[in-house]
Amino acid sequence: MHLAGTGEQVLLGLRRAWPGTLIVNPSAANSPVAATRDDAERWLAHGADLISLGRAYLANPDLVERFRAGPAGRGSVRPSSAARTG
């Protein structure tokens, strides 16, 4: 199951009910704000098995290296314009 922009209570309920792999996309569907490493870590702590970071990765092809850099790399992720509709 793949969830996008889901609240914590919904995820926790689904995690208890869904025995399969749970993939969470921390960004809201129409938000221009890409998910962050902190968002991904929070959802993993709440029971997600995998995190999808599509927009963040498209805007930052070196996203893995930025995340590995730790706190120094967290503030330098470029926002994505892929979700802007206007």
Side-chain angles (χ1 to χ4, degrees), residues 6-8 11 26 37-48 51:
T6 303
E8 289 183 23
L11 174 67
R37 180 180 177 166
D38 291 336
D39 295 330
E41 290 176 355
R42 182 172 56 91
W43 286 110
L44 289 169
H46 285 307
I51 304 297

Side-chain angles (χ1 to χ4, degrees), residues 1 5 7 11-12 14-15 18 22 24 26-27 29 32-33 35-36 40 49 51 58-59 66-67 75 81 85:
M1 180 178 296
L11 174 67
L12 294 174
L14 285 171
R15 178 72 285 173
W18 181 260
L22 189 61
V24 174
S27 294
V33 179
T36 66
D49 296 305
I51 304 297
L58 288 173
R66 290 172 187 244
F67 282 178
S81 61
T85 59

Side-chain angles (χ1 to χ4, degrees), residues 25 27-34 53-60 78-80 82-83:
N25 184 328
S27 294
N30 293 322
S31 172
V33 179
L53 297 166
R55 278 186 273 161
Y57 186 77
L58 288 173
N60 301 275
R78 291 186 300 268
S80 169

